[in-house]
């Protein structure tokens, strides 16, 4: 359908006959490679207790084979760098590797099948989300007309959200990299999935706590400690960020929540430079706990466990007049 905006059906058929092995319209194909190998769909689950691990995946075309260790194991060590490029890490003034919460899961109380059941549960939620997001019937306007542009956008939104979360979990040795990955991940959540006015609203302890309470009720008790581990680490980190204000606000109308929102919007905007956000940054120590980069997990879990909310968001998007 998107291709027909650029060529006639006759022209497309003619090109297909001339070169039947070529892709006639590979729009954003490189951004949707996860649909071929599938690894990006399981990476957030297998990296959800980074920097430790509890399993790994082996991608194949059209499938992913997931192996569970049945317990936590170390993901990164404190020893000598493995590769020469890793020696650059010692030049950083601070390494967060030792500050992550690696005790968020108590393996002594977990059922022996908990990890394998977590994989099954996750696969089911991913499958249902893909059914919704890849089906053309999801993307119709108020006149029941198919909206191919919206279809492409939402497939990309979901794919790139997972890819960015995966990238965060792979970088526990580099807090600067994780933070720079956090901001675009929260941007896609704010702009596309929640409709928030900036990422600040999504980073408050109050909102994160409320979301965790809602999501945890949808997760089976036996796997809840595994699935919810990154969410609870994120909440603890968000609360620590709120405690790092060391002077009162000069604004008498400021509240603890409004200061957090202002701070996070300011920190996110520093990707463009430290310009008009100096005041709020001056009131805060600037310290961000390493686990703060796990906040996107909270919203991903909400997306995976509340199909109706996501579908309603997509439908509202489809009913907006298309941009010229």
């Amino acid at each position: 359908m998107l291709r027909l905006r650029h060529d006639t059906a006759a022209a497309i058929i003619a090109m297909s006959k001339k070169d039947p092995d070529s892709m006639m319209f590979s729009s954003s194909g490189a951004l949707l490679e996860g649909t071929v190998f599938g690894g990006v769909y399981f990476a957030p689950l297998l990296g959800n207790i980074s920097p430790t691990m509890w399993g790994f995946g082996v991608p194949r075309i059209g499938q992913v084979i997931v192996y569970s260790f049945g317990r936590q194991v170390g993901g990164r060590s404190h020893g000598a760098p493995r590769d020469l490029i890793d020696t650059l890490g010692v030049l950083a003034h601070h390494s967060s590797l030792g500050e992550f919460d690696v005790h968020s899961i108590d393996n002594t109380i977990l059922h022996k099948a908990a990890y394998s059941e977590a994989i099954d549960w996750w696969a089911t939620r991913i499958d249902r989300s893909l059914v919704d997001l890849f089906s053309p019937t999801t993307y119709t306007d108020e006149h029941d007309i198919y909206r191919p542009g919206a279809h492409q956008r939402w497939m990309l939104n979901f794919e790139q959200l997972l890819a960015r979360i995966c990238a965060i979990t792979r970088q526990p040795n580099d807090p600067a990299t994780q933070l720079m990955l956090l901001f675009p991940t929260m941007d896609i959540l704010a702009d596309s999935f929640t409709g928030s006015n900036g990422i600040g609203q999504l980073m408050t302890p109050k909102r994160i706590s409320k979301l965790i309470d809602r999501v945890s009720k949808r997760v089976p008790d036996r796997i809840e400690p595994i699935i919810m581990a990154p969410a609870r680490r994120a909440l603890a980190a968000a609360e620590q960020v709120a405690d790092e204000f060391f002077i009162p606000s000069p604004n008498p109308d400021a509240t603890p929540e409004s200061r957090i929102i202002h701070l996070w919007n300011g920190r996110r905007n520093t990707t463009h430079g430290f310009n008009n956000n100096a005041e709020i940054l001056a009131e805060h120590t600037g310290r961000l706990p390493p686990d703060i980069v796990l906040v996107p997990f909270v919203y991903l879990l909400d997306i995976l466990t509340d199909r109706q909310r996501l579908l309603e968001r997509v439908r509202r998007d489809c009913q907006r007049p298309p941009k010229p």
Side-chain angles (χ1 to χ4, degrees):
M1 296 294 289
L2 288 172
R3 179 64 188 270
L4 289 174
R5 294 181 180 178
H6 304 272
D7 290 299
T8 64
I12 296 172
I13 293 172
M15 284 185 282
S16 178
K17 289 180 177 179
K18 183 178 180 180
D19 189 2
D21 295 326
S22 67
M23 291 287 290
M24 287 297 100
F25 194 61
S26 54
S27 178
S28 300
L31 296 176
L32 288 168
E33 291 179 346
T35 58
V36 178
F37 294 101
V40 70
Y41 301 129
F42 285 91
L45 172 68
L46 295 173
N48 78 334
I49 55 172
S50 176
T52 60
M53 300 284 291
W54 58 266
F56 66 96
V58 181
R60 297 287 187 266
I61 294 179
Q63 63 178 318
V64 179
I65 302 172
V66 180
Y67 297 90
S68 168
F69 302 129
R71 61 186 180 90
Q72 283 180 267
V73 299
R76 287 286 177 93
S77 70
H78 293 277
R82 182 188 62 184
D83 301 312
L84 283 177
I85 194 68
D86 291 335
T87 60
L88 294 175
V90 302
L91 302 178
H93 68 280
H94 175 70
S95 175
S96 61
L97 190 58
E99 298 181 15
F100 288 102
D101 179 2
V102 296
H103 304 292
S104 56
I105 298 178
D106 184 356
N107 287 283
T108 63
I109 64 173
L110 283 181
H111 189 276
K112 62 181 180 180
Y115 286 103
S116 60
E117 289 178 2
I119 295 170
D120 292 339
W121 180 88
W122 184 273
T124 300
R125 295 304 177 280
I126 287 289
D127 182 65
R128 290 175 180 175
S129 297
L130 293 181
V131 167
D132 293 336
L133 292 172
F134 279 65
S135 173
T137 58
T138 301
Y139 305 94
T140 56
D141 62 16
E142 67 273 18
H143 304 295
D144 288 331
I145 297 174
Y146 173 54
R147 294 281 301 277
H151 194 167
Q152 183 191 42
R153 282 199 307 275
W154 280 98
M155 288 194 302
L156 289 170
N157 282 336
F158 189 64
E159 181 97 359
Q160 290 302 302
L161 173 63
L162 293 172
R164 294 174 192 186
I165 291 176
C166 174
I168 288 173
T169 65
R170 293 200 308 266
Q171 304 294 331
N173 279 340
D174 194 336
T177 297
Q178 285 194 311
L179 192 61
M180 290 302 100
L181 289 167
L182 171 67
F183 293 141
T185 307
M186 295 306 299
D187 280 340
I188 199 171
L189 285 166
D191 296 343
S192 298
F193 287 93
T194 66
S196 297
N197 183 22
I199 76 168
Q201 295 178 357
L202 306 184
M203 301 295 293
T204 66
K206 181 179 179 181
R207 180 158 183 170
I208 294 171
S209 178
K210 184 177 180 180
L211 205 54
I212 288 175
D213 289 341
R214 189 167 73 198
V215 172
S216 63
K217 295 175 182 177
R218 309 177 195 139
V219 180
D221 291 342
R222 204 146 80 175
I223 64 172
E224 199 267 4
I226 300 172
I227 297 299
M228 298 303 298
R232 295 201 168 92
R233 287 169 59 184
L235 174 59
E239 292 171 341
Q240 291 177 49
V241 173
D243 291 338
E244 292 294 325
F245 285 103
F246 65 94
I247 57 174
S249 173
N251 180 3
D253 297 324
T255 65
E257 186 165 353
S258 69
R259 295 181 82 189
I260 283 291
I261 292 173
H262 191 187
L263 173 72
W264 275 112
N265 286 336
R267 287 296 297 257
R268 180 258 175 265
N269 290 337
T270 60
T271 57
H272 306 288
F274 292 83
N275 300 314
N276 298 322
N277 43 34
E279 182 176 317
I280 188 65
L281 298 181
E283 300 168 11
H284 194 267
T285 66
R287 185 178 183 278
L288 302 177
D291 281 342
I292 197 65
V293 299
L294 299 178
V295 169
F297 273 96
V298 182
Y299 293 92
L300 174 60
L301 288 171
D302 186 44
I303 292 167
L304 293 178
T305 58
D306 192 346
R307 296 175 71 186
Q308 195 57 39
R309 181 185 292 267
L310 177 59
L311 287 172
E312 289 172 359
R313 179 77 183 165
V314 172
R315 290 191 183 106
R316 287 196 299 270
D317 181 39
C318 289
Q319 290 173 5
R320 295 192 189 101
K323 294 181 180 180

